[in-house]
Amino acid sequence: METELSKRLGVEHAIFGFTPFPAVAAAITRAGGFGVLGAVRYTAPDDLKRDLDWMQEHTDGKPYGLDVVMPAKKVEGVSEADVEAMIPAGHRQFVEETLAKHGVPELPEGEASGWRITGWMEQVARSQLDVAFDYPIKLLANALGSPPMDVVQRAHDHGILVAALAGSAKHARHHAEAGIDIVVAQGYEAGGHTGDIASMVLTPEVVAAVSPLPVLAAGGIGSGEQITAGLALGAQGVWLGSLWLTTTEADLHSRALTEKLLAAGSGDTVRSRALTGKPARQLRTEWTDAWDDPNGPGTLPMPLQGLLVADAVSRIQKYEVGALLGTPVGQIVGRMNSERSVRQVFDDLTCGFERAVDRINHIAGRSQS
């Protein structure tokens, strides 16, 4: 699965794996792909430094990257406390009523929320970059459009390629104009923040819009056959995220959540603003249903919604409240029905790719059998 882009980055397979777990990212890189560590959960620079140190020791000198979340436009002088103060009291009451309805206990006294959305704030992302640029990362990806121009220039000064996710050809063209090196065409089927256009339509549209920039296909991809389809549509690789959540190296800290993922079908996800304030595909739960109910208060814009529900999400996760327990995940969850190592996933992907190529050659009359 070599392409011009994979050769440029020095990886065997054009499989880019996004994950919040260092052990998964390192295993993806060791397996011949390109591991990309998600940085949004690192609110303390020292924690990111610790895990990047670990990545350095466990990637066998092979390349890896970092994914941050930051807006293209800078907002000066706004602190987390300023943003918290904007949250209406009625929304806070709705959160508490919903948790009480399902008997969700409070966190123990003195225990802080383990899940904070502050990583969506620009000043936090910039502190992450101050750490990351001290490491030999080969790719910086931004999940919230093009990063600010000074960040793009700073990455290029370090010899780092910059990627940005796009949900439409229009977004992709903006990335190209902003000096982005790689566009990730993320279709409607993907987990997390995603647009309205499905991968089969989106990928060739983005390829045509930004040519000759390389494009990665994303959204609903979890087999070698689907990787083949992405390359046939003009992509130079694939960007996979959800598929790694049920690998043995993943650390979800919740057996109940792992079991929900393994049992879920492709129709058990929903695009909801419940988690961050922007449409994000995730497991459908009674939590997402409550926020999407027209009789409720409605969600707040990013980053208010994320700050509002941070403690609630931590409580739901800590006590494994089944009816409310969820996570961002794509429609490919329907194929994630067993726990496998990252290496086993790669073996399955490469074998599926070979089968698909053989099948296409046979259909085209080029089979050697």
Side-chain angles (χ1 to χ4, degrees), residues 173-196:
R173 281 190 287 269
H174 287 165
H175 294 337
E177 293 165 0
I180 300 303
D181 305 292
I182 302 167
V183 177
V184 181
Q186 179 159 282
Y188 170 85
E189 309 95 325
H193 296 120
T194 184
D196 300 309

Side-chain angles (χ1 to χ4, degrees), residues 2 117 128 142 163 203-204 220 228 234 321:
E2 282 189 336
I117 203 67
Q128 295 165 349
N142 188 40
T203 301
T228 310
V321 183

Side-chain angles (χ1 to χ4, degrees), residues 66-337:
L66 191 75
D67 179 277
V68 297
V69 179
M70 59 192 314
K73 296 181 179 179
K74 186 176 179 63
V75 179
E76 299 282 0
V78 178
S79 68
E80 181 181 344
D82 294 331
V83 177
E84 287 266 16
M86 301 176 189
I87 297 174
H91 281 71
R92 294 189 185 278
Q93 181 180 351
F94 179 76
V95 169
E96 291 306 319
E97 289 175 350
T98 303
L99 295 176
K101 176 182 176 182
H102 292 274
V104 183
E106 297 276 356
L107 293 174
E109 186 175 352
E111 181 175 328
S113 167
W115 187 92
R116 297 297 286 171
I117 203 67
T118 50
W120 300 103
M121 301 180 73
E122 182 184 353
Q123 62 265 35
V124 177
R126 286 185 177 274
S127 70
Q128 295 165 349
L129 294 178
D130 289 339
V131 172
F133 285 140
D134 287 334
Y135 291 82
I137 62 173
K138 300 299 182 184
L139 177 71
L140 175 66
N142 188 40
L144 200 63
S146 303
M149 289 299 297
D150 68 296
V151 172
V152 176
Q153 186 59 56
R154 190 177 174 191
H156 287 166
D157 289 345
H158 283 80
I160 298 168
L161 298 181
V162 181
L165 276 65
S168 70
K170 178 181 178 181
H171 293 158
R173 281 190 287 269
H174 287 165
H175 294 337
E177 293 165 0
I180 300 303
D181 305 292
I182 302 167
V183 177
V184 181
Q186 179 159 282
Y188 170 85
E189 309 95 325
H193 296 120
T194 184
D196 300 309
I197 305 173
S199 300
M200 184 64 73
V201 173
L202 179 66
T203 301
E205 284 188 350
V206 171
V207 169
V210 301
S211 179
L213 286 184
V215 172
L216 299 178
I221 300 174
S223 72
E225 289 83 356
Q226 290 169 311
I227 293 174
T228 310
L231 298 185
L233 293 172
Q236 287 202 30
V238 293
W239 178 274
L240 310 182
S242 298
L243 191 64
W244 317 109
L245 289 173
T246 52
T247 57
T248 54
E249 292 90 345
D251 188 12
L252 288 177
H253 296 294
S254 172
R255 186 63 204 174
L257 181 53
T258 298
E259 293 292 346
K260 287 192 75 170
L261 289 169
L262 293 172
S266 57
D268 293 328
T269 68
V270 63
R271 286 173 73 242
S272 171
R273 298 176 184 267
L275 189 61
T276 69
K278 285 183 176 291
R281 186 171 297 284
Q282 54 202 282
L283 282 179
R284 182 176 181 178
T285 66
E286 292 189 32
W287 178 256
T288 61
D289 286 348
W291 281 105
D292 295 338
D293 189 333
N295 295 319
T299 55
L300 298 171
M302 180 186 281
L304 297 181
Q305 182 71 15
L307 290 170
L308 168 66
V309 305
D311 288 342
V313 171
S314 289
R315 289 163 62 183
I316 293 167
Q317 292 176 345
K318 179 179 180 65
Y319 299 108
E320 297 189 325
V321 183
L324 306 179
L325 189 62
T327 186
V329 69
Q331 291 180 331
I332 198 62
V333 71
R335 291 183 62 99
M336 296 158 49
N337 49 24

Side-chain angles (χ1 to χ4, degrees), residues 12-90:
E12 182 180 359
H13 302 300
I15 297 173
F16 294 71
F18 163 78
T19 173
F21 308 117
V24 176
I28 291 169
T29 286
R30 291 197 306 272
F34 191 99
V36 181
L37 178 65
V40 70
R41 67 189 181 96
Y42 294 98
T43 56
D46 286 346
D47 291 341
L48 178 59
K49 183 179 186 304
R50 176 202 63 215
D51 282 356
L52 288 177
D53 284 339
W54 189 92
M55 290 279 292
Q56 278 292 105
E57 296 173 2
H58 293 83
T59 47
D60 298 339
K62 297 179 179 179
Y64 63 92
L66 191 75
D67 179 277
V68 297
V69 179
M70 59 192 314
K73 296 181 179 179
K74 186 176 179 63
V75 179
E76 299 282 0
V78 178
S79 68
E80 181 181 344
D82 294 331
V83 177
E84 287 266 16
M86 301 176 189
I87 297 174

